[in-house]
Amino acid sequence: MKISFITSECVPFVKTGGLADVSGALPKELAKLGVSINVFIPRYSLISIDQYGLKLVGELRDTKVRIGNIYVDYSLYHLQKDEVNFYFIDSQKYFDRHFIYTNDTDEDERFIFFQKSVLDILQKLKLEPDVIHLNDWQSALIPELINVHYKTNNNFSNVKTVLSIHNIAYQGIFNRMALDKANLPETKFFPFGPYEHYGNFNFLKIGIITSDFILTVSPTYAKEILSSEYGCGLEGVLQNRKNVLKGILNGIDETQWDPQFDKIIVKNYNYDSINDKLINKIHLLKYANADTNEKTPVIGIVSRLVWQKGFELMEPFIDDLLSKDVKVFVLGKGEYKYEEYFKNLNKKYPDKFFFFCEYNNELAHYITAGADIFLMPSRYEPCGLNQMYSLKYGTIPVVHKTGGLSDTVIDFEENPDNGNGFAFINFNSQEFYNKILKALDLYTQPNRWKLLQKNGMSLDFSWNKSAKQYLEIYNYLLNK
Ligand code: ADP
Ligand code: GLC
């Protein structure tokens, strides 16, 4: 089976969030299952050609694709790694920027160009995928571009498309000029029509209408996005396609995130040597020049600092929490107001509240291994990876019961035998704080705490398990 996997970010090359983790791990796992897989990604200038040894694909030098009324050049680079073929689409005009996503006026054009180039390459290199797997709005136009521009082209006559939604809040909404840049027909732009969304052009909506199958990254989120509370205006469109909508829980890349083999943390451990987790805790405390009283519970957060993640819930109780014997570590970057909020807490409580306003993978590992408790009060969470990392590391998660958090964290109070963390049901400060206090209380009871750790650490979050479910969907589509 031949799959082309289209994504706007991918580890180790570029990452802003979990999509990059998924794009780095799932193709590798599919390759192990015998799938022949090509990954397409823009060659942002942030991806160094020399560092990764990318090779120019000579046959496609200076090829052009049409964007509205102009023709734009691209070049193509290739890299084979872990049995996966990576194709990097290079364009100085569109991808030589400081960030991978921008607020520049040609943001729509950048990803229209990306998608048109992908189709051009698939055709010219005769890659003939059975399935094209799209991820988020940046590749969601592909099925419609095929319908409109490649209708009579044999290369695409039997191809199936799968669209993964990693976060429905990001839809790629632009003014109607995007339509012309994509060379799509005006006739489909009318109120309630496929291209129109409250007067604008919406990439994701078109993808939902035109893909053969729609996936999202956890079973609970697949149900949630059918409601107006979570669907961000696309719930109606999704309702119409719910017979081809499914959630498959993301896995975690165990070559990177497993306390037994983690190359970054100072001391590896597993459940049988759980006491060695303490060495990582002391290391974390030293990292921040904090005093190293090992009995003091350490609470960790690693996150993008955006509205989705729900940190305003902490405001009403943070002073009370910090009046107790605790230490809090926050690693994150994002919106100014959250950064300022955490910076001020660090000023007010310099010995207890440590804030690292940066993107730092090493520190993310130190916190995951060194903390006792991990907080994720997300308003919504399509899947969430950090709670799974925490569970694997014996770091007890306290989460809002939503999306993928709900599919992975089992509340100890609800289910004392199988509980692996704490999950509050209603998104409010009181419920969140109650669960944190319950966690702190349980932390003083080592036997019960160890049971929670054991329940979490023994779960299987391997990509192998998830990849098999993807394969089932591909097979289902091909045999339909
Ligand atoms: P999202 O994609 O919504 O940000 P996920 O939980 O799926 O949420 O994935 C977040 C990923 O980004 C995780 O791998 C997490 O460790 C990483 N991450 C987020 N912020 C930082 C940071 N400041 N430093 C290092 N890693 C981070
Ligand atoms: C998105 C979601 C996150 C998910 C990730 C990977 O960024 O916010 O919950 O884990 O995509 O699918």
Side-chain angles (χ1 to χ4, degrees), residues 375-391:
L375 305 184
M376 254 176 113
S378 310
R379 278 193 165 74
Y380 70 91
E381 195 60 78
C383 178
L385 299 172
N386 290 96
Q387 83 282 10
M388 293 195 265
Y389 300 156
S390 297
L391 288 165

Side-chain angles (χ1 to χ4, degrees), residues 17-19 22 166-167 217 250 304 308-309 381-385:
L19 170 59
V22 174
H166 296 264
N167 190 336
V217 287
N250 285 334
R304 288 186 296 127
Q308 171 192 350
K309 303 295 177 180
E381 195 60 78
C383 178
L385 299 172

